[in-house]
Amino acid sequence: MNAFQNLGLEDPILQAINDLGFETPSEVQEKSIPILLEQEQDLVALAQTGTGKTAAFGFPMLQKINVDSRTTQGLILSPTRELCLQITNEMKLYGKYYKGLNVTAIYGGASITDQAKQVKKGAQIIVATPGRMKDMISRRLVDISKIEYAVLDEADEMLNMGFYEDITDILSHTPDDKSTWLFSATMPKEVSIIAKKFMHSPVEIVVGTKNQGATNVSHEYYLVNSRDRYAALKRLADANPDIFSVIFCRTKRDTQKVAEKLIDDGYSAGALHGDLSQNQRDLVMKSFRNKQIQMLVATDVAARGIDVDDITHVINYQLPDEIETYTHRSGRTGRAGKTGVSMVIVSKSELRKIKSIERIIKKQFEQKDIPGGMEICQVQLMSLANKVHDTEINHEIDPYLNDINALFEDNSKDDLIKKFFSVEFTRFFNYYQKSKDLNVEAQHSSSRDGDNSSKSTRYFINVGRKDGFDWMKLKDFLREVLQVGQDDVFKVDVKDSFSFFNTEVEHTTKVLEFFTDFKQNGRFINVEITEDKGRSQNRGRGGRRRDDKRGRSRRDRRSGEFNGQSRGRSGSRRGLKENRSEKPVGSRSRRSNSGQKSANSVSSRPRRSRRK
Ligand code: AMP
């Protein structure tokens, strides 16, 4: 009797398991399958993606439904189209020895009529995304009034994506006495609410610890200056020649930019974000699955449902705004029993977030150093040596050997090896030999970026929350209009009717010049250098320059406005009379060559041959 038989699984499933080559049940399978087979029982299972949870609910569901009936008996809700298709495929594989089984996927972005036809043929199991499911229910294209099993897969993700209403609506069309099985990687309040509201005394299964990331994932962080973020990313990639990774950025634009830069620098990278069409996203995912793409740069939303098993590294290029999201990111690696590494590139101002994440995942991060240039050269050299060692000889070379031998007649074996390896080594060596140390000491300064923080300028700007900004929107707006890099605007602090932000001193002139006569929606937007606690030295430098150039009047105006005394004079009231045909806030209003250069100023290494 094998381990799966012990769980109570029967022949058709056991045969499929055999075909798939599964040898032992995973933890979540071991814990849930016997319960679900034996009883009609609600279940809450806390398990990461990649732990085998599709089989944990799939095997019992397949064994319990009646394939001779055409009635829909099982409904599986999942957050994304990608995941929906994956679950459908897995269910088909697991149930391939059940004759007459029809598992149908229902998701947005594809023909609703075709999906309705599939359902009509008699789908015993429907796997659906909530939006499309709700749509089909309202058009009476599906009947889920007789289902016996409902699965809420990745419940936390579905709620994160705003599907609460859709889920409650869908469940209201299902019978009360069905069994509900909820799977979630984390257990935020919202998931507990769903469990309380829709489930009857569920059994709770925890794989690993609650809210804890996968146990076989190690967590590392690298402390760098914000402006060295991209250089640090490249070093991490170069120091791990066989990396197969997802790199997370905060915004779609950063995602696109980082991917483009990596591609320009010769890495096999691709972008995955919501501004791409479904077709483009499918193509990128296909290349990633085939490992033609080694580094997939993605937003959190777009990466939902990626379940590629061999991801070696997750790199947090920027930390997520919601630290809970970190668990989902790191869960993309360390799947199906493999080990993985979740790396965070972090600047000083974000260090406290690491502590908060540690509390959530109940694991310690290890602070590591960004590898130095020579270390990378060494890693690359040894990786090449190993590859050469493991390469099978291709005898198509044989006819050319005489000529090659003649060419190297005078070289000893030693020389030959040295020459051969120098081809690759020199490329890395030339690039890295004068490279600087990117690591930052945590204790030197409490300000943003260690040594560089003494070179930043703090500004006042006369827009704030009332104008529809939060810190992210303002940061994005400033970066866009100033055409500066993603980390060049920082310490953004948005108040009701004004805000503050910093740039490196080198950008001061550009910032001030840009905002000299800048109008948005008919309103003048003013920027002034301002005081920053603990940063008087910088303000002094930037401030004097500004005052020398333009006199004191604007500074006075600013301080007046700051106190709420002369709002009209500072431009906002004046602005109301101006023409309204200006571009909306956030549009690219002005190009600055220097800004453009700064956005791409990280020196790229010499073009390398594209990796396969
Ligand atoms: P899931 O968490 O369901 O997305 O599963 C992750 C991957 O593990 C999928 O590729 C499954 O086919 C695979 N898998 C599921 N159960 C097992 C098992 N018991 N042994 C080996 N692989 C498994």
Side-chain angles (χ1 to χ4, degrees):
M1 213 190 236
N2 78 18
F4 285 102
Q5 238 170 327
N6 283 337
L7 301 180
L9 293 167
E10 290 168 358
D11 237 13
I13 302 253
L14 292 173
Q15 275 182 46
I17 290 173
N18 194 38
D19 290 356
L20 285 162
F22 296 176
E23 282 169 7
T24 44
S26 68
E27 190 183 346
V28 67
Q29 291 163 3
E30 217 158 37
K31 286 183 170 168
S32 56
I33 291 173
I35 300 175
L36 299 183
L37 284 177
E38 269 166 37
Q39 309 154 32
E40 295 306 318
Q41 173 72 54
D42 284 359
L43 171 95
V44 171
L46 281 161
Q48 292 276 318
T49 56
T51 51
K53 62 190 168 58
T54 314
F57 61 74
F59 291 167
M61 185 185 278
L62 286 162
Q63 192 158 309
K64 286 184 138 190
I65 57 159
N66 176 8
V67 276
D68 296 330
S69 159
R70 286 157 49 102
T71 308
T72 301
Q73 301 152 60
L75 170 67
I76 302 164
L77 290 178
S78 81
T80 61
R81 164 196 149 113
E82 162 108 346
L83 199 59
C84 171
L85 286 168
Q86 248 144 32
I87 295 171
T88 309
N89 286 339
E90 293 268 312
M91 292 295 281
K92 283 181 179 166
L93 285 175
Y94 302 160
K96 70 180 193 186
Y97 291 108
Y98 285 108
K99 216 163 165 267
L101 173 72
N102 179 0
V103 183
T104 296
I106 285 181
Y107 51 89
S111 159
I112 198 164
T113 328
D114 290 350
Q115 291 174 358
K117 268 190 208 148
Q118 281 297 317
V119 172
K120 226 174 159 194
K121 278 188 195 162
Q124 295 96 353
I125 297 175
I126 290 176
V127 188
T129 53
R132 173 56 66 93
M133 187 65 198
K134 195 178 152 198
D135 199 6
M136 290 193 59
I137 292 172
S138 66
R139 297 195 204 184
R140 296 180 195 283
L141 296 173
V142 283
D143 176 11
I144 50 168
S145 64
K146 296 191 187 66
I147 62 161
E148 292 168 52
Y149 307 102
V151 173
L152 304 177
D153 192 27
E154 305 222 349
D156 49 353
E157 285 285 6
M158 287 200 282
L159 296 176
N160 263 343
M161 291 169 79
F163 284 135
Y164 180 84
E165 305 278 320
D166 287 355
I167 292 170
T168 50
D169 187 89
I170 292 165
L171 291 179
S172 74
H173 290 84
T174 61
D176 268 348
D177 61 356
K178 70 184 175 303
S179 300
T180 306
W181 306 337
L182 181 151
F183 288 76
S184 194
T186 57
M187 198 62 184
K189 246 195 350 265
E190 296 77 6
V191 177
S192 318
I193 292 171
I194 285 259
K196 274 210 186 85
K197 198 164 169 187
F198 295 102
M199 300 172 79
H200 309 293
S201 330
V203 176
E204 193 177 305
I205 285 172
V206 180
V207 178
T209 314
K210 250 189 208 185
N211 284 344
Q212 185 184 328
T215 45
N216 42 356
V217 175
S218 54
H219 303 263
E220 303 173 349
Y221 75 85
Y222 296 82
L223 187 59
V224 299
N225 289 325
S226 288
R227 64 178 177 187
D228 290 331
R229 218 178 268 272
Y230 178 71
L233 172 65
K234 288 203 303 181
R235 286 208 198 170
L236 291 174
D238 287 343
N240 294 282
D242 295 321
I243 195 167
F244 180 52
S245 62
V246 182
I247 295 153
F248 285 97
C249 292
R250 200 171 54 75
T251 65
K252 292 185 239 182
R253 214 175 46 164
D254 290 347
T255 303
Q256 183 67 29
K257 268 193 186 166
V258 170
E260 278 173 11
K261 280 207 236 177
L262 285 171
I263 292 165
D264 274 355
D265 289 344
Y267 295 84
S268 62
L272 188 73
H273 56 74
D275 281 351
L276 303 175
S277 67
Q278 186 62 52
N279 201 23
Q280 286 170 316
R281 272 186 280 169
D282 289 347
L283 282 174
V284 171
M285 276 313 296
K286 196 168 162 217
S287 307
F288 187 53
R289 279 217 176 81
N290 296 339
K291 307 222 165 130
Q292 283 158 337
I293 285 178
Q294 247 184 317
M295 299 167 87
L296 180 71
V297 192
T299 57
D300 288 297
V301 175
R304 276 175 184 149
I306 291 181
D307 82 327
V308 176
D309 284 345
D310 309 328
I311 292 167
T312 57
H313 294 76
V314 162
I315 303 184
N316 293 264
Y317 185 76
Q318 294 149 333
L319 276 173
D321 293 323
E322 302 272 334
I323 48 174
E324 286 76 11
T325 307
Y326 178 83
T327 316
H328 291 287
R329 290 183 173 188
S330 56
R332 301 290 159 218
T333 184
R335 293 167 57 87
K338 302 199 172 82
T339 55
V341 184
S342 175
M343 299 172 155
V344 181
I345 303 174
V346 74
S347 68
K348 270 190 179 168
S349 62
E350 298 166 312
L351 257 188
R352 65 193 155 73
K353 281 194 177 181
I354 294 285
K355 291 274 159 252
S356 314
I357 293 171
E358 282 180 339
R359 275 195 291 277
I360 287 181
I361 62 172
K362 298 196 169 58
K363 276 187 147 194
Q364 294 278 308
F365 273 84
E366 187 183 346
Q367 184 181 358
K368 289 201 145 181
D369 283 344
I370 294 287
M374 280 319 291
E375 195 181 329
I376 289 171
C377 293
Q378 193 186 345
V379 169
Q380 289 284 344
L381 186 62
M382 287 321 293
S383 160
L384 178 64
N386 281 318
K387 263 186 205 140
V388 172
H389 181 262
D390 297 342
T391 296
E392 268 187 42
I393 291 173
N394 183 338
H395 288 287
E396 296 296 315
I397 292 175
D398 292 355
Y400 312 103
L401 273 184
N402 278 344
D403 288 348
I404 295 174
N405 278 330
L407 197 60
F408 292 105
E409 213 171 30
D410 298 333
N411 291 112
S412 67
K413 178 187 167 196
D414 246 23
D415 280 349
L416 202 64
I417 289 178
K418 281 184 194 163
K419 275 183 182 241
F420 179 82
F421 283 102
S422 294
V423 175
E424 185 75 0
F425 184 76
T426 305
R427 189 166 61 81
F428 275 93
F429 180 75
N430 287 346
Y431 180 70
Y432 275 122
Q433 64 174 333
K434 292 201 182 100
S435 61
K436 61 172 185 170
D437 181 3
L438 297 182
N439 298 294
V440 168
E441 292 294 323
Q443 66 274 22
H444 276 174
S445 147
S446 61
S447 53
R448 175 190 167 243
D449 275 332
D451 298 338
N452 290 304
S453 66
S454 64
K455 298 200 186 99
S456 77
T457 304
R458 186 118 174 113
Y459 308 84
F460 163 93
I461 183 166
N462 66 333
V463 290
R465 262 191 293 275
K466 281 183 182 159
D467 306 288
F469 287 102
D470 56 23
W471 71 267
M472 265 185 285
K473 284 186 186 144
L474 184 58
K475 184 170 173 160
D476 287 344
F477 162 66
L478 290 166
R479 280 170 40 196
E480 180 126 5
V481 295
L482 294 168
Q483 291 276 293
V484 291
Q486 59 196 11
D487 291 310
D488 289 336
V489 176
F490 50 95
K491 285 215 152 216
V492 179
D493 183 12
V494 175
K495 311 282 184 204
D496 251 0
S497 51
F498 56 86
S499 309
F500 300 97
F501 67 95
N502 281 33
T503 71
E504 304 291 349
V505 158
E506 70 204 58
H507 293 307
T508 309
T509 313
K510 178 165 54 162
V511 173
L512 296 178
E513 278 175 2
F514 181 84
F515 282 104
T516 306
D517 286 301
F518 182 71
K519 261 190 308 183
Q520 198 86 78
N521 291 337
R523 170 179 169 189
F524 275 101
I525 297 191
N526 270 346
V527 167
E528 305 277 345
I529 290 171
T530 188
E531 296 256 346
D532 186 23
K533 277 184 212 126
R535 210 171 294 221
S536 52
Q537 190 191 353
N538 326 325
R539 176 194 40 85
R541 282 176 64 188
R544 261 198 306 279
R545 187 138 44 115
R546 171 96 171 120
D547 283 351
D548 290 345
K549 231 172 139 190
R550 307 182 55 185
R552 299 195 63 76
S553 61
R554 293 195 100 201
R555 173 179 279 275
D556 295 341
R557 272 202 328 245
R558 191 266 302 154
S559 45
E561 182 174 7
F562 189 92
N563 295 324
Q565 291 163 359
S566 60
R567 181 149 265 285
R569 269 201 299 144
S570 75
S572 57
R573 202 184 300 158
R574 176 180 56 167
L576 290 176
K577 293 185 198 145
E578 302 292 336
N579 88 66
R580 284 162 195 264
S581 64
E582 291 281 340
K583 288 180 189 162
V585 167
S587 66
R588 192 160 287 187
S589 308
R590 194 181 295 201
R591 275 181 191 280
S592 142
N593 287 335
S594 58
Q596 188 63 46
K597 185 163 172 276
S598 149
N600 299 312
S601 62
V602 183
S603 62
S604 59
R605 63 177 168 179
R607 265 185 186 272
R608 46 187 288 158
S609 50
R610 255 158 236 261
R611 303 178 197 194
K612 230 193 108 201

